[in-house]
Amino acid sequence: MFTYAITRKPGVDFADGLTQAGLGKPSYTRITEQHSAYVNALKQRQLQVVELEPLGEHPDAYFVEDPAVVTPDIAVITIPGAPSRQGEGDSLKQCLQQFREIAQIEPPGTVDGGDVLMVENHFFIGVSARTNAHGAHQLGRILERFGYNWTTITVQAGLHFKSDVNYIGNDTLLMTSRYSHVTQLHQFNKIILKDDEAYAANSLWLGDCLFMPQGFPEIKNRVERAGHHVIQLDVSEVRKMDGGLTCLSLRF
Ligand code: CIR
């Protein structure tokens, strides 16, 4: 399903990044190990992985999902909603222009890629504390040019839309209970996480397997029973910085 993944190593200053998790101080040694294991897992799924170096002044830059949205036709460089993350897109642009035509979100729009969920030919664009309505509409109009449909969806809580909802194929969404009654999502099959396993909503579907965070046995068993091949990865230090499995790469 995907050929490439772009990743960026966490820098020694990664703990200076934004977080509201309240899960304690993260370890550089452990996040480096966890990130390497993630990159290796992508390679084992036959993806060609671009490994960018840490980006000075931007401790959150290893969350490469947020400053760009990449489709089969176009790469859109965003303006992340958090001021400290604005500027991360420039270096990603240099990388992405080897693979795709580039489009760009313009001020006053802001978009975090973590709010953008592609489901087949449709994009759900979360309007959140990071992605504003202006940015969402700019992105939608760019995607329309390439034949995609799009709708906005309100993110009332949680950092990003994909913190709570992800597509896992076969018309099925893996989601927290926050979104279980949202009318825009009514046509999908849903696997709804119990609140104590809500973090595992941020799982990464690669077409033939599902990367899930380690430590959520009930949902792992449920998605396995639904026929998925699950690969568990330890992302404890990433979680301490409000991130998860989708945030660590751009796949296309
Ligand atoms: C931030 O607050 O921007 C980062 N510490 C975490 C970003 C996680 N990205 C994502 O969910 N797509």
Side-chain angles (χ1 to χ4, degrees), residues 214-247:
Q214 193 173 296
F216 301 91
E218 185 179 325
I219 191 63
K220 171 183 179 280
N221 290 338
R222 278 172 64 200
V223 298
E224 279 179 342
R225 283 200 302 275
H228 282 279
H229 172 43
V230 172
I231 295 168
Q232 290 187 95
L233 291 163
D234 186 359
V235 283
S236 64
E237 306 312 284
V238 178
R239 186 182 185 187
K240 289 177 185 173
M241 300 310 297
D242 278 346
L245 287 163
T246 68
C247 327

Side-chain angles (χ1 to χ4, degrees), residues 17-19 60 63 65-66 85 112-114 130 159-160 163 241-244 246-247:
L18 301 168
T19 181
D60 277 317
F63 293 119
E65 181 176 65
D66 295 318
R85 302 202 57 190
D112 273 20
R130 298 288 180 90
L159 180 60
H160 289 129
S163 309
M241 300 310 297
D242 278 346
T246 68
C247 327

Side-chain angles (χ1 to χ4, degrees), residues 44-112:
Q44 277 169 15
R45 303 317 297 182
Q46 315 308 328
L47 272 84
Q48 295 179 45
V49 184
V50 177
E51 297 174 68
L52 300 172
E53 291 301 316
L55 192 62
E57 312 291 310
H58 292 291
D60 277 317
Y62 61 104
F63 293 119
V64 285
E65 181 176 65
D66 295 318
V69 174
V70 187
T71 80
D73 317 276
I74 185 89
V76 183
I77 306 299
T78 73
I79 301 176
S84 67
R85 302 202 57 190
Q86 293 171 2
E88 291 178 17
D90 293 345
S91 109
L92 266 187
K93 181 178 173 180
Q94 283 171 27
C95 175
L96 280 166
Q97 62 196 9
Q98 300 167 48
F99 301 98
R100 290 287 186 275
E101 183 187 334
I102 301 284
Q104 201 123 14
I105 299 297
E106 303 290 346
T110 62
V111 173
D112 273 20

